[in-house]
Amino acid sequence: MREEKFDITGMTCSACSARVEKATAKLDGMGSVSVNLLTNSMKVSYDEEKLSMDDIVEAVEKAGYGASAAQLSDETKQAENKGSRKNVALEEVEQMKKRLIVSIAFLVPLMYLSMGHMMQMDFGMPVPSFIEDTFYGNENAVSMVFAQFLLLLPILYANRKYYIVGFKSLFHGGPNMDTLIAIGSAAAAIYGCFALFRIGFGLGHGDMHLVHQYSMDIYFESAGTILALITLGKYLETKSKGKTSEAIEKLMDLSPQTAIVERGGKEAVIPVEQVMTGDILVIKPGAAIPVDGIITEGNSSVDESVITGESIPVEKTVGDKAVSATINKSGFFKMRASKVGEDTTINQIIRLVDEASSSKAPIAKLADKIAGIFVPVVIGIAVVAAVVWLITGATFEFALSTAIAVLVISCPCALGLATPVAIMVGTGKGAENGILIKSGEALEIAHRVDTVVMDKTGTITEGNPKVTDILAFSGSETQLLQLAASLEKSSEHPLAEAIIRRAEEKELSLLQTEEFEAIHGKGIKAVIDGKTYFAGNEKLIKSQAGGYGDQVEKTAAQLSDQGKTPLIFADDKTVIGIIAVSDMEKATSRKAIQLFKDMKIKVVMLTGDNERVAGAIQKRLDIPKVIAGVLPDDKEKHIKSLQDQGHTVAMIGDGINDAPALARADVGIAIGAGTEVAIESADAVLIKNDLLDAVTAIRLSKSVIRNIKQNLFWAFFYNCIGIPLAAGVFYTALGWKLSPMFGAAAMSLSSICVVSNALRLKFFKPEHGDAKLVNPPEEESFPAPNIEMKDEKEMERMSKHEAELKIEGMMCEHCKAHVTKALEALDGAEVSVDLEGGTATVKSQEEIEDGTFEAAIQDAGYELKGIERR
């Protein structure tokens, strides 16, 4: 199936989008169709063997609308898309503004002529004598009515689009909003012309009663007012709709237009579209980085807030990644382009946000389905209302007035805007906070999530494990580390990387390995100097190696109880040693888990680690349910099991190893994607490596869906009240009757209210609040972990652990931030850093070892000079 996007012209309401969708969906070979009224676009998937793009365009044109493929060349796509988005919106506003000016300019004298005499009688409004002598009185009736007709003509011409599109849609069998406006205003204008002829007949035959009767029922001012008010509403609506795409426009504005490229030893400034993979780019202080790449020379601090939302600049040096649209703050460096054109991070973000804002949520189908039959029903109601009033003895003018009022008040604009405006604002707001939601469907489903399943490594933890213990059972620790690094050098597992890094720090040379084999979910084996070695968990060693005794099991268990992952190394006869690796939890993980629980969302940790390691993390973070020892292939089965129990499941993982589980979940959330935005298996991508953004994503979903429901309620409520009122249902009992002019004003106001309500989402803030450390409620399927409660004296003793660290090397606020972040990552640490004094005060419930402090400070790039405990 081929996917394609089309630009659709001529759509004015959700009845239009429903008709376009219906016309294309019935084509043989058509897969899925999604028409978006807000962006005037259509996304389709179709069988190329049965359908062509010309067939699709022809079907849309037969339905009464225009269509063209939204395709641009790679070289011009970014520039043209950026320009066209703004130009089209600007052009539409300008055209609407001109129509509004013309309408009001001629409506004011028209209203003055038609109602000035009544205003003079009722309120004493002054009227110039030449107007009174020329236009007022039965003898001047023809002059009065003809003058109104001439003033109405420019209004009719300026707003001719309503008639062209409205009657065209009617003749194609798909009446829309413009049809209602066209029929209503045309009926008023035609009746005015009829009245003009009747007045002329009365004057010619001396029938002044006939002249007086028809001069009191001229509807030219109603026709002009309807068109002017509708245009005013559409103008305000168009301006408001333009604000919904501000997030995408801001992203586009961030994309640099030029780049400095070093070719042939010379620097040249070229358009960013001409940068090729492998080019060496020169990045000067203050410049925006044009494409993604790797730094090859120099160092600097880079402001990545436009991508990650983090306000603190990130230090970059040779070998680090540089991301497009981020800002080089101070230093000078060169980089090699690795991703250019549409593959850059900023362009992929723009694409994802654009696709999401153009997509349709399932809740929108309700509005579209109703709008598709709404207009024909309204026309029927208008006709029935007129006939009923005529049968009951009302005047023709009264019956016509009710029919026109029903037509103009019943515009389905509000229904059509209720969903797409909220989705566009919501996805744009998510992008501002580093949350990329790929579709309206994912945005809707996320608000129903009642179970969150999290991967451990890289999601709950930092994903940057470090070697904590090296225990050699035979030989020295250095020999064990050399052997371990040699075995693990061909592995891509994060724990292997930790061992290799430690070997590199010790400057150990690696041994040559042969017949390397990764044993799925258990470990690896390889041959060194003709001897077979194994590395992995206890399952692997028990099944294929030798010497796994009680001492090894006891040591591995002790390490696991401390939250460390033991990697066991053995040959075919005996266990050589154990290397323990630990991956610390992120500073925000505990808070995010607590916030999920506060929202009554069940939290499950799914990990391949053994039960002891998983249990240690469960206890530290107060996770209600943990499923340990799960192979990558089995994660998807556990997700399905939860779904079979009736849960709506969100899976949070790294988007690579967890791809099957992400795809299986109702909502797949890839965390910490950074420069890997295009993860096909996920429904949402969190650019920052922070679980709190997953909380924000679900909260944003709830806000958007709540906003959509509000919009739909007011749209339906407005029509349920407005149509009976306009049809005169309450006239006999209460004397309530709605004039066509007030009907037009009310219709315009409804659309403006819906758009304005959706724009309130722009004030959404990702406030996470303070996590309250309470035990989750006990449930049969998700039992709370058993946590030992301390008495008050014990709690008081534990709260008094305080240490003052003397730190060398802190120079600025960035240094202070780095040290604070490093120390806050320690379990339960409360940190206060004094930059001027070069100290940091750390309070914790449990005493933190000196070595732990030293490792944290060194990892942050500074030196620990002393520790004073209090």
Side-chain angles (χ1 to χ4, degrees):
M1 299 291 281
R2 176 177 176 178
E3 292 187 358
E4 197 62 65
K5 187 175 181 180
F6 292 84
D7 294 323
I8 308 297
T9 57
M11 295 193 302
T12 54
C13 68
S14 54
C16 299
S17 61
R19 178 162 175 76
V20 172
E21 197 165 295
K22 184 178 179 180
T24 50
K26 66 183 181 182
L27 293 174
D28 185 30
M30 182 63 67
S32 62
V33 183
S34 177
V35 180
N36 189 290
L37 174 65
L38 184 63
T39 57
N40 290 315
S41 63
M42 176 176 70
K43 291 174 66 177
V44 300
S45 63
Y46 63 95
D47 188 344
E48 289 185 272
E49 295 181 359
K50 297 180 179 180
L51 268 180
S52 67
M53 293 177 62
D54 292 337
D55 294 331
I56 298 172
V57 170
E58 184 181 353
V60 174
E61 290 175 347
K62 282 184 178 179
Y65 304 89
S68 60
Q71 283 188 322
L72 294 170
S73 65
D74 291 339
E75 292 79 9
T76 60
K77 187 181 292 183
Q78 175 71 12
E80 290 191 18
N81 188 36
K82 179 178 178 179
S84 64
R85 181 181 295 274
K86 294 182 179 180
N87 292 340
V88 169
L90 213 61
E91 185 180 337
E92 190 176 358
V93 170
E94 286 301 314
Q95 289 178 352
M96 204 68 69
K97 185 178 180 180
K98 290 177 183 177
R99 287 166 54 186
L100 180 61
I101 291 172
V102 171
S103 299
I104 293 177
F106 286 92
L107 178 64
V108 171
L110 172 60
M111 294 293 292
Y112 189 81
L113 274 182
S114 63
M115 305 185 72
H117 188 60
M118 289 186 290
M119 297 293 290
Q120 182 186 41
M121 294 176 59
D122 295 338
F123 302 103
M125 187 184 76
V127 177
S129 58
F130 80 91
I131 291 180
E132 190 169 3
D133 295 340
T134 306
F135 298 108
Y136 293 163
N138 288 339
E139 66 278 7
N140 296 321
V142 171
S143 299
M144 165 70 82
V145 177
F146 191 68
Q148 291 182 39
F149 176 69
L150 292 178
L151 288 169
L152 177 63
L153 286 178
I155 301 176
L156 294 175
Y157 181 77
N159 296 285
R160 62 192 181 279
K161 181 181 177 183
Y162 294 128
Y163 300 100
I164 295 171
V165 176
F167 286 116
K168 183 179 179 182
S169 299
L170 180 63
F171 296 147
H172 279 87
N176 59 10
M177 178 206 77
D178 288 338
T179 305
L180 298 179
I181 297 170
I183 294 175
S185 59
I190 291 171
Y191 181 79
C193 292
F194 169 75
L196 177 59
F197 282 105
R198 295 297 290 164
I199 290 170
F201 179 84
L203 287 173
H205 291 77
D207 188 348
M208 300 309 291
H209 176 73
L210 185 67
V211 172
H212 179 74
Q213 176 187 344
Y214 279 96
S215 62
M216 292 295 100
D217 288 320
I218 304 299
Y219 277 94
F220 287 146
E221 81 283 355
S222 294
T225 304
I226 289 170
L227 293 172
L229 288 175
I230 295 292
T231 302
L232 173 62
K234 296 295 286 182
Y235 172 70
L236 296 175
E237 176 190 309
T238 303
K239 289 200 72 174
S240 298
K241 282 162 62 179
K243 295 180 180 179
T244 63
S245 60
E246 284 181 357
I248 300 177
E249 291 176 8
K250 287 178 181 177
L251 288 171
M252 289 179 173
D253 289 338
L254 294 173
S255 303
Q257 300 301 304
T258 60
I260 303 175
V261 179
E262 191 177 79
R263 291 176 177 171
K266 296 182 179 179
E267 294 182 3
V269 179
I270 63 172
V272 71
E273 293 83 10
Q274 296 179 13
V275 176
M276 300 173 64
T277 303
D279 278 344
I280 299 298
L281 278 65
V282 177
I283 311 297
K284 296 182 178 180
I289 298 173
V291 297
D292 292 9
I294 304 296
I295 296 176
T296 58
E297 178 184 333
N299 55 74
S300 181
S301 60
V302 176
D303 181 359
E304 296 185 339
S305 59
V306 296
I307 300 295
T308 66
E310 292 287 354
S311 59
I312 300 174
V314 179
E315 298 298 324
K316 299 284 185 178
T317 187
V318 174
D320 290 339
K321 292 181 180 179
V323 182
S324 56
T326 57
I327 308 297
N328 180 25
K329 298 296 290 183
S330 56
F332 170 91
F333 64 86
K334 294 181 181 180
M335 58 176 281
R336 178 180 289 104
S338 59
K339 292 183 179 180
V340 299
E342 290 300 298
D343 294 329
T344 61
T345 297
I346 188 66
N347 284 340
Q348 290 193 49
I349 291 174
I350 292 171
R351 177 179 60 80
L352 285 178
V353 176
D354 194 26
E355 287 178 356
S357 61
S358 299
S359 65
K360 186 174 293 183
I363 197 172
K365 295 176 182 178
L366 173 64
D368 287 350
K369 187 174 182 179
I370 293 175
I373 60 173
F374 186 77
V375 176
V377 169
V378 165
I379 294 175
I381 292 173
V383 173
V384 170
V387 171
V388 169
W389 279 114
L390 288 173
I391 292 174
T392 56
T395 64
F396 177 77
E397 292 79 14
F398 184 94
L400 179 65
S401 175
T402 58
I404 294 173
V406 169
L407 290 172
V408 297
I409 201 174
S410 305
C411 168
C413 280
L415 282 175
L417 294 171
T419 300
V421 176
I423 288 177
M424 176 166 273
V425 177
T427 52
K429 195 65 183 177
E432 289 179 13
N433 291 285
I435 303 166
L436 305 181
I437 302 169
K438 290 188 174 182
S439 67
E441 182 177 6
L443 188 65
E444 179 177 341
I445 294 174
H447 92 283
R448 301 199 307 266
V449 167
D450 61 12
T451 304
V452 170
V453 179
M454 304 176 184
D455 177 42
K456 180 179 76 72
T457 305
T459 302
I460 294 176
T461 63
E462 292 286 355
N464 186 27
K466 299 174 183 177
V467 173
T468 57
D469 302 87
I470 302 176
L471 306 175
F473 297 160
S474 62
S476 65
E477 292 184 2
T478 302
Q479 290 174 331
L480 174 59
L481 181 60
Q482 182 185 39
L483 174 66
S486 302
L487 289 170
E488 299 282 7
K489 68 181 179 182
S490 298
S491 174
E492 296 180 355
H493 198 281
L495 301 184
E497 295 176 7
I499 293 174
I500 294 170
R501 278 198 304 270
R502 175 58 70 90
E504 290 174 349
E505 293 171 2
K506 298 289 186 179
E507 298 182 353
L508 301 178
S509 59
L510 301 186
L511 306 173
Q512 187 66 36
T513 60
E514 299 174 347
E515 301 179 23
F516 176 86
E517 179 185 349
I519 303 171
H520 193 56
K522 295 181 179 180
I524 60 174
K525 75 173 183 177
V527 175
I528 298 178
D529 293 334
K531 191 173 184 178
T532 302
Y533 292 92
F534 301 89
N537 58 27
E538 61 181 42
K539 293 180 182 178
L540 174 68
I541 305 304
K542 284 182 177 179
S543 63
Q544 299 199 32
Y548 191 87
D550 293 341
Q551 182 60 37
V552 175
E553 185 172 3
K554 183 179 178 181
T555 304
Q558 290 174 343
L559 293 169
S560 297
D561 288 339
Q562 297 170 18
K564 301 172 183 178
T565 301
L567 296 177
I568 307 170
F569 295 85
D571 55 27
D572 55 359
K573 294 180 180 179
T574 184
V575 173
I576 301 170
I578 298 177
I579 295 181
V581 179
S582 179
D583 187 8
M584 295 298 297
E585 302 91 36
K586 296 173 188 173
T588 57
S589 291
R590 182 182 180 87
K591 186 176 183 181
I593 291 167
Q594 184 61 55
L595 287 170
F596 276 127
K597 292 191 290 186
D598 289 345
M599 290 192 289
K600 310 302 181 186
I601 294 175
K602 302 175 180 68
V603 181
V604 180
M605 184 178 80
L606 201 61
T607 177
D609 263 335
N610 62 57
E611 292 182 1
R612 289 180 178 272
V613 174
I617 294 177
Q618 178 184 25
K619 187 175 181 180
R620 286 202 296 267
L621 300 184
D622 195 13
I623 303 174
K625 184 178 179 66
V626 168
I627 303 174
V630 180
L631 298 177
D633 292 346
D634 292 334
K635 289 185 178 182
E636 182 264 348
K637 295 178 183 177
H638 285 282
I639 299 293
K640 187 177 184 302
S641 174
L642 289 169
Q643 291 173 326
D644 291 341
Q645 295 172 27
H647 297 292
T648 302
V649 182
M651 171 68 191
I652 309 175
D654 60 17
I656 301 172
N657 296 330
D658 302 312
L662 288 168
R664 164 63 66 179
D666 296 285
V667 180
I669 302 175
I671 188 170
T675 58
E676 302 296 332
V677 177
I679 300 177
E680 297 300 329
S681 56
D683 299 302
V685 178
L686 310 182
I687 296 178
K688 290 184 288 182
N689 198 7
D690 194 337
L691 263 182
L692 287 177
D693 284 342
V695 177
T696 300
I698 292 179
R699 282 186 166 176
L700 178 63
S701 170
K702 291 180 181 293
S703 296
V704 170
I705 299 304
R706 182 167 57 249
N707 190 279
I708 289 174
K709 288 180 178 178
Q710 291 169 354
N711 290 343
L712 289 174
F713 169 78
W714 286 114
F716 284 121
F717 179 79
Y718 155 82
N719 281 296
C720 289
I721 298 297
I723 292 176
L725 181 63
V729 172
F730 306 106
Y731 182 73
T732 303
L734 302 174
W736 294 352
K737 180 180 179 296
L738 195 67
S739 74
M741 290 182 286
F742 282 108
M747 188 280 293
S748 299
L749 185 62
S750 70
S751 297
I752 296 170
C753 288
V754 165
V755 175
S756 300
N757 185 52
L759 288 174
R760 289 192 306 110
L761 288 168
K762 294 175 75 71
F763 300 104
F764 173 86
K765 293 182 179 179
E767 296 180 359
H768 304 299
D770 294 325
K772 299 176 182 178
L773 300 180
V774 297
N775 291 328
E778 293 191 7
E779 300 179 21
E780 184 177 349
S781 56
F782 292 91
N786 294 322
I787 299 177
E788 182 182 354
M789 299 301 294
K790 310 275 193 308
D791 58 30
E792 292 184 4
K793 291 183 178 180
E794 179 70 0
M795 292 295 291
E796 183 180 356
R797 186 191 67 77
M798 291 178 65
S799 64
K800 290 184 177 180
H801 291 294
E802 182 176 336
E804 183 179 278
L805 315 181
K806 296 188 180 298
I807 303 169
E808 186 171 288
M810 293 193 298
M811 304 291 290
C812 62
E813 288 296 322
H814 297 321
C815 300
K816 178 180 177 181
H818 290 158
V819 171
T820 302
K821 184 176 181 180
L823 292 174
E824 284 181 343
L826 303 179
D827 187 28
E830 296 179 9
V831 182
S832 175
V833 178
D834 180 6
L835 181 62
E836 294 183 2
T839 62
T841 302
V842 182
K843 296 180 180 179
S844 60
Q845 289 184 341
E846 296 182 2
E847 186 171 2
I848 299 174
E849 297 178 357
D850 292 3
T852 304
F853 279 133
E854 185 173 4
I857 298 299
Q858 286 181 351
D859 288 345
Y862 305 91
E863 187 177 352
L864 181 63
K865 284 296 187 181
I867 301 176
E868 181 180 343
R869 297 191 179 273
R870 299 171 183 174

